[in-house]
């Protein structure tokens, strides 16, 4: 079984797990793997599923830190713009510009923090689903052995 078909089965499991629940996703995941692979190659297929999923777990753990990525640079630039806007508010002639700049910065900063939080939560969900896939593959390997 190729890496692409294993990757396709994993992504199908993730989509169904999020939409329809665990039991249906497990049934479709295992049916997909058993239909694509003959009985003599299913052990190697399960090992490949387990290995690829552990690779995805390691990759997701690297991306788990929300302070590593382009969002942090944008957040710090929003902070600097907000400081400059506060300075503009203190100058009488530039007060409307400072108010407009500060309000836009606060809105964009809040949106950015919300997106960072959502991304962080989604990565934790993905880690839990990847752990389920490893457990499914281990359970099937025990049953086949």
């Amino acid at each position: 079984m190729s890496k692409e078909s294993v990757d396709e089965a994993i992504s199908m499991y993730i989509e169904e797990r999020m939409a329809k629940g665990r039991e249906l996703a497990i049934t479709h995941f295992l049916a997909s793997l058993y239909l694509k692979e003959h009985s003599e190659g299913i052990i190697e297929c399960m090992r490949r599923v387990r290995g690829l999923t552990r690779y995805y777990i390691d990759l997701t753990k690297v991306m788990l830190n929300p302070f590593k990525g382009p969002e942090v640079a944008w957040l710090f630039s929003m902070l600097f713009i907000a400081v400059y806007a506060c300075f503009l508010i203190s100058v009488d002639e530039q007060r409307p510009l400072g108010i407009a700049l500060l309000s836009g910065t606060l809105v964009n900063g809040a949106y950015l923090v919300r997106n960072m939080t959502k991304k962080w939560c989604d990565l934790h969900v993905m880690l839990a689903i990847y752990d389920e896939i490893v457990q499914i593959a281990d359970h099937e390997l025990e049953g086949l052995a």
Side-chain angles (χ1 to χ4, degrees):
M1 178 172 250
S2 68
K3 177 194 167 286
E4 289 81 20
S5 57
V6 170
D7 194 31
E8 179 183 315
I10 290 172
S11 63
M12 181 197 68
Y13 176 79
I14 291 170
E15 289 172 10
E16 282 195 24
R17 173 68 171 94
M18 290 184 176
K20 298 178 183 173
R22 183 175 188 204
E23 296 304 319
L24 186 63
I26 289 173
T27 305
H28 288 167
F29 175 69
L30 292 176
S32 170
L33 290 177
Y34 278 105
L35 286 174
K36 288 181 181 178
E37 190 63 35
H38 301 292
S39 61
E40 61 269 355
I42 197 67
I43 294 175
E44 183 62 35
C45 174
M46 286 299 166
R47 286 184 182 145
R48 187 168 289 175
V49 166
R50 188 176 56 186
L52 191 60
T53 306
R54 286 187 178 155
Y55 169 75
Y56 287 153
I57 288 172
D58 291 340
L59 183 66
T60 305
K61 284 183 180 179
V62 168
M63 298 182 331
L64 197 58
N65 189 352
F67 298 109
K68 289 183 180 177
E71 293 91 1
V72 174
W74 283 105
L75 195 60
F76 281 124
S77 67
M78 292 290 156
L79 180 69
F80 291 131
I81 292 171
V83 168
Y84 181 67
C86 289
F87 169 74
L88 287 178
I89 289 174
S90 68
V91 177
D92 286 336
E93 299 86 31
Q94 300 295 324
R95 185 166 289 145
L97 176 64
I99 292 171
L101 193 60
L102 183 63
S103 63
T105 302
L106 290 176
V107 168
N108 285 323
Y111 175 75
L112 193 60
V113 167
R114 186 180 74 74
N115 277 348
M116 285 175 59
T117 306
K118 184 180 180 306
K119 179 181 172 183
W120 186 67
C121 290
D122 288 345
L123 287 175
H124 277 287
V125 169
M126 291 299 291
L127 275 175
I129 292 174
Y130 287 147
D131 282 336
E132 284 181 11
I133 294 173
V134 169
Q135 291 172 1
I136 293 167
D138 286 341
H139 183 272
E140 286 296 311
L141 282 172
E142 287 174 5
L144 293 172

